[in-house]
Amino acid sequence: MAHGRVRAVTDLPTPSFAFDPDAPGACLAGVRPYRMGSYRLDTERPSGKFVVHNYGHGGAGISMSWGCAARVKDLVRTFLAGSPQTEAAVLGAGVMGLTAATRLLDLGLRVTIYADRLPRDTTSWRAGGQWAVSIMEFAGKEQELKGIVKTAYTTFKQSIGNGYGVSEVPNFSIRRTPGLDTVMDLVPGLLPPREDLPGLPFQNHHDQPGHKYQTLLVEPPIFLARLEHDLRARGVTFVTRRFADKADVLTLTQQIIVNCTGLGAKTLWNDSKLLAVKGQLAMLRPQPNLHYLYGRNGYLFPRADHVVIGGTTEMGVDDEVPSKTVCTGLVRHIAAAFGEAAPVPLPKIHIDHPDNERLVDPRLSITD
Ligand SMILES: Cc1cc2nc3c(=O)[nH]c(=O)nc-3n(C[C@H](O)[C@H](O)[C@H](O)COP(=O)(O)OP(=O)(O)OC[C@H]3O[C@@H](n4cnc5c(N)ncnc54)[C@H](O)[C@@H]3O)c2cc1C
C-alpha cells in the first residue's frame, strides 16, 4: 500500500521479511575487535624476530583489509632489504590474515598461516559486508588511514566480477551513514558524492528525506572462501594451532611473524586497549531481486546467501551467543520502516561495562 504518494515506476522492491528465528543459522552473533584509540599496524623486534601487528579494526576489518595488507607488505619488504628471509608466519585466518598472507606471497615468501579457527569460523565470516569505515577509532592515524582506505577501496573495486563476492551498490539511508561520511572526509572523490533526497525510492513509508550513497558490498563467505582457495593453490599451509601467549608465538621458527589475531591479541599480546563489541545478525532467505543496501538505525544487506539484517553494538560483550529476541526485534524494526510490520520498540539489552559510554547507548545501540 502506498503512503502519501503514488508509487513511481522507479520505486525499488520491498524486501520480504519472513523470518523464522528457530531455523538453523537464522540468528548469528560475532564480536568485533575494537581497539580504543586506534587500530594497530606497527612493528616490534622481540627476541630478534620481526613482528608486524595488524589488528583492532572493529567494524571495518573487511573494508580495510587490502589496504592494511599492502602496508604489511611494505613493512616486510623494508625489513627484507636488510635481512633476507624466505619464510613468514601469519597468525590468524580471518580477513586480515588471509589478505596479509596474499601480499606476502607477492614478495616471494613461503607463508604458513597459524590459527585456532579456520576462515569459516572466524569473526570475519560473520561480517555484514558493507565497505565502510565503521565502529573503528583512528586517532592520530588520519594520514596512514587515507592510504589504507584508498588502496582497499581500489583493490576491491578492481575485483568486481572476478569471483571475490564484490559488487557496487547504492546504500539508501534515513540518517547520514558515518562510516561512509568518514571516507568522504578522508579521501574526497574516492566514493561518488552522497545524494540528499527528498524521499527514498521505496513504496511504503518512505516520504521523509534521506540519503543515497554509492559503495561496495563485499560478501564475506564468498570473499574469504576465495582467498583461502587462492592461498592454498599458491602453496600456503594452514596449521591449526592456538598460541597461549607471546612467548609461545616466539617459539616459531620463522623470523617474520605477522600478527592478525583480532580480538585474540588482547591476551596473546597483552593489549588492554582491545574491547569486544558484539554484533547480532538476522539471516533472511536470499532475495536476488534486491540490489541495494538500506540503513535506518540498523541495516539490511541483500547478499547471495542471505538478506542480512543487523547493526547492533554491545560494547564489552565477548560472546558469540545470538539472541532470538534481538534478531526478531531487528527484523521487525526494519520491516516497520517499510510498512511491513507494526512499529516496535527496539530490543533492549542491558550491558554492564564501564566503556559503554564511549561509543553507544548503554542498553542496545543500533548503528547504520
Ligand atoms: C556482526 C558484525 C558485522 C560486521 N560487519 C562488517 C561490515 O559490514 N564491514 C566491515 O568492513 N567489517 C564488518 N565487521 C567487522 C569485521 O568482521 C572485523 O573487523 C574483521 O573480521 C576482523 O578481522 P580479523 O582478521 O582481524 O579477525 P578475525 O576474523 O577474528 O580473525 C582472527 C584470527 O586469529 C585467530 N586467533 C586469535 N587468537 C589466536 C590465538 N591465541 N592463537 C591462534 N589463533 C588465534 C583466530 O582463530 C582467527 O583465525 C563486522 C563484524 C561483526 C561482528
Side-chain angles (χ1 to χ4, degrees):
M1 76 195 123
H3 287 259
R5 72 185 172 94
V6 176
R7 182 177 182 166
V9 282
T10 51
D11 277 351
L12 296 168
T14 298
S16 160
F17 291 99
F19 179 63
D20 173 8
D22 293 316
C27 297
L28 283 187
V31 187
R32 302 175 185 91
Y34 186 84
R35 190 166 184 268
M36 290 175 275
S38 92
Y39 62 90
R40 186 164 188 201
L41 185 38
D42 56 21
T43 64
E44 65 172 288
R45 300 295 310 271
S47 309
K49 304 273 187 191
F50 181 69
V51 177
V52 183
H53 297 289
N54 182 26
Y55 62 80
H57 303 91
I62 301 290
S63 307
M64 292 180 61
S65 57
W66 281 128
C68 293
R71 181 91 189 103
V72 168
K73 180 182 172 186
D74 289 344
L75 293 167
V76 171
R77 188 199 281 117
T78 305
F79 172 71
L80 286 173
S83 175
Q85 303 286 327
T86 55
E87 294 199 32
V90 172
L91 315 184
V95 72
M96 289 299 161
L98 299 183
T99 50
T102 302
R103 290 298 175 247
L104 294 180
L105 283 179
D106 296 343
L107 286 176
L109 292 166
R110 191 159 66 225
V111 178
T112 305
I113 297 179
Y114 299 89
D116 64 346
R117 291 186 186 198
L118 290 175
R120 67 171 50 248
D121 296 319
T122 61
T123 299
S124 301
W125 197 277
R126 294 161 197 233
Q130 174 174 230
W131 192 89
V133 179
S134 308
I135 318 176
M136 189 194 76
E137 295 191 31
F138 50 92
K141 298 214 175 175
E142 289 77 5
Q143 272 311 113
E144 178 184 79
L145 188 60
K146 275 182 198 207
I148 288 172
V149 159
K150 218 167 155 177
T151 304
Y153 180 79
T154 310
T155 309
F156 276 119
K157 193 154 180 190
Q158 285 168 350
S159 72
I160 291 175
N162 294 335
Y164 288 87
V166 184
S167 53
E168 190 160 29
V169 280
N171 172 329
F172 294 98
S173 56
I174 298 294
R175 292 187 313 183
R176 299 260 295 262
T177 302
L180 292 171
D181 284 344
T182 298
V183 174
M184 291 178 173
D185 292 344
L186 275 172
V187 191
L190 186 66
L191 295 175
R194 183 189 69 245
E195 291 176 49
D196 300 325
L197 305 172
L200 296 185
F202 302 101
Q203 184 178 9
N204 292 339
H205 285 262
H206 280 100
D207 293 328
Q208 71 262 57
H211 310 280
K212 179 184 178 187
Y213 296 83
Q214 195 73 19
T215 187
L216 305 177
L217 176 66
V218 182
E219 306 197 27
I222 300 175
F223 180 50
L224 296 180
R226 175 63 188 265
L227 290 176
E228 182 181 356
H229 170 272
D230 290 354
L231 289 167
R232 289 186 189 275
R234 293 175 75 184
V236 170
T237 309
F238 285 73
V239 176
T240 305
R241 173 169 169 182
R242 176 166 187 80
F243 296 96
D245 52 25
K246 181 171 163 178
D248 196 10
V249 171
L250 297 178
T251 62
L252 287 170
T253 54
Q254 293 91 340
Q255 285 295 299
I256 299 170
I257 299 172
V258 182
N259 176 16
C260 305
T261 49
L263 206 51
K266 189 178 177 76
T267 45
L268 198 55
W269 229 262
N270 210 9
D271 188 339
S272 58
K273 291 183 181 168
L274 275 166
L275 182 68
V277 179
K278 181 175 175 179
Q280 306 206 34
L281 300 171
M283 312 298 269
L284 280 57
R285 69 167 172 82
Q287 299 170 49
N289 61 325
L290 306 180
H291 301 286
Y292 57 81
L293 310 182
Y294 178 84
R296 184 191 181 116
N297 226 1
Y299 57 68
L300 174 141
F301 298 165
R303 305 194 317 212
D305 59 341
H306 295 101
V307 169
V308 178
I309 297 184
T312 62
T313 55
E314 298 167 57
M315 298 291 283
V317 179
D318 191 0
D319 72 61
E320 295 176 332
V321 183
S323 151
K324 288 178 193 171
T325 311
V326 169
C327 289
T328 306
L330 271 168
V331 176
R332 289 187 61 194
H333 168 68
I334 298 290
F338 281 84
E340 297 288 309
V344 283
L346 293 173
K348 288 180 184 164
I349 304 171
H350 177 70
I351 308 165
D352 188 15
H353 190 280
D355 282 311
N356 280 331
E357 296 297 330
R358 196 173 179 86
L359 185 71
V360 294
D361 180 285
R363 294 167 307 169
L364 171 71
S365 173
I366 301 193
T367 49
D368 286 336

